[in-house]
Amino acid sequence: MFGDLSGMMDKLKQAQQKVEETKQRLHTVLIDESGADGKIKVTVTANREVKAITVDQSLLQDAEELEDYLIVTLNNALKRAGEINEQEMAVAAKSGMPNIPGMDMFK
């Protein structure tokens, strides 16, 4: 009735391992984003971890302006990181999934 249940379980374990490997790899994928005409530079990983922030001296005079630029630049970087993360995780999950009828949720 269920075919090779043991084989399906092995494939699920392989899929889980592939997802974990992808998570680890995404820690090394860096996304650079700049704002305020290049006066702010942010680097984040594809796992949405901030690695570096560089701010030009000219922006240090106005805290409110600096905060606004930082928010926009960080949000842009995190959005790109999220998109990359979702794409990579979907590929990892789909590649290891066993072929179970009716379970084609990763199209």
Side-chain angles (χ1 to χ4, degrees):
M1 176 174 160
F2 290 106
D4 184 11
L5 189 57
S6 176
M8 283 194 288
M9 293 304 290
D10 286 342
K11 283 203 176 253
L12 286 172
K13 285 180 186 176
Q14 289 173 2
Q16 185 178 21
Q17 181 178 351
K18 186 149 180 119
V19 166
E20 287 303 316
E21 290 170 359
T22 300
K23 283 181 186 178
Q24 292 303 314
R25 186 178 57 78
L26 290 175
H27 280 301
T28 65
V29 175
L30 300 177
I31 293 103
D32 294 318
E33 184 72 33
S34 62
D37 296 324
K39 294 180 181 179
I40 292 180
K41 295 178 183 169
V42 174
T43 302
V44 299
T45 69
N47 281 332
R48 301 174 200 107
E49 180 180 317
V50 177
K51 288 297 201 177
I53 297 175
T54 305
V55 178
D56 186 273
Q57 288 286 95
S58 65
L59 293 177
L60 297 179
Q61 307 306 315
D62 185 346
E64 188 174 324
E65 179 183 38
L66 174 59
E67 291 167 356
D68 290 342
Y69 283 136
L70 273 172
I71 289 169
V72 169
T73 306
L74 278 167
N75 282 334
N76 288 340
L78 293 173
K79 179 182 178 195
R80 287 180 49 208
E83 290 167 354
I84 291 169
N85 185 292
E86 288 174 21
Q87 290 171 356
E88 293 289 324
M89 294 304 287
V91 168
K94 182 179 181 179
S95 69
M97 289 298 290
N99 188 12
I100 302 171
M103 295 293 289
D104 54 351
M105 60 188 143
F106 294 109
K107 282 190 172 180

